[in-house]
Amino acid sequence: MQESVVYQRIIRQGIEQGRREEALSVIMRQLPRRIGIVALELRSQIEALSLTQLEDLSEALLDFSTAADLTSWFNSVKEN
């Protein structure tokens, strides 16, 4: 069973979901320390990001100092 294609796909999906949840958790802990309170609308946008986008945000937030920086980051993501 462990060698089946379906089993392997389920395992990969579970691993990716776990990585995404961990990335989201770290970002949601770090952002308030960088920019203060994160508005509910921005939190919702963050929660909708893919794993790749969360990884990009985790690097970008190191340069943030205000919520406007986060909003600008979202605007640049939409453009790309």
Side-chain angles (χ1 to χ4, degrees), residues 18-34 46 54 57-59 61-62:
R19 289 182 60 212
R20 187 188 170 286
E21 290 174 7
E22 184 61 27
L24 180 60
S25 175
V26 169
I27 287 168
M28 294 309 241
R29 287 192 318 265
Q30 290 177 338
L31 268 175
R33 295 185 72 164
R34 296 295 302 170
I46 294 166
L54 288 169
L57 177 56
S58 71
E59 291 178 19
L61 72 80
L62 298 173

